[in-house]
Amino acid sequence: MKGIYWQKGDTLDYTPKEAVEYGQVVDLTTRIGVAASDIAAGEQGQLHMTGVFQMDKDGSEIALGAALYYDKSGDQITTTAEGHTPAGYAAAPAAAGTGTVLVKLLG
């Protein structure tokens, strides 16, 4: 088998069943993407698949480099893997009680 270069992959085409707003986290089961713009239901748009994004988190302390997961029901980032979607890793530490963390997406 040969691999033929298709695209860089920083963004991927995505057609949602429901409208997605710019910046909204999209759960792709094995990773997340972030909407690059508003995407209407049934219309094709793009998801960012690489980069560092500031996202809401649970109240826990997070160390630089910690594995991060998307808690879809809470719509926030957590360090708890069980039942959550891999998101990436912490691009900077985040203190307990703070509301956000910098997430380096898995890509």
Side-chain angles (χ1 to χ4, degrees):
M1 175 179 73
K2 289 174 36 176
I4 299 172
Y5 182 83
W6 187 261
Q7 67 185 42
K8 189 173 181 179
D10 290 339
T11 61
L12 295 178
D13 293 338
Y14 178 71
T15 304
K17 293 180 182 177
E18 298 178 5
V20 174
E21 295 180 2
Y22 165 76
Q24 184 174 335
V25 173
V26 176
D27 188 335
L28 300 172
T29 309
T30 61
R31 67 198 68 245
I32 62 171
V34 177
S37 63
D38 291 342
I39 310 171
E43 297 293 322
Q44 182 175 296
Q46 283 75 44
L47 297 180
H48 290 291
M49 299 305 297
T50 62
V52 177
F53 294 83
Q54 181 177 303
M55 297 183 184
D56 293 339
K57 72 170 189 71
D58 62 16
S60 65
E61 180 177 1
I62 298 176
L64 173 65
L68 300 175
Y69 302 87
Y70 177 58
D71 172 0
K72 188 174 183 175
S73 64
D75 196 27
Q76 63 185 356
I77 296 296
T78 181
T79 56
T80 303
E82 187 173 339
H84 301 124
T85 305
Y89 62 88
T98 59
T100 62
V101 62
L102 293 177
V103 180
K104 169 64 173 92
L105 296 183
L106 286 176

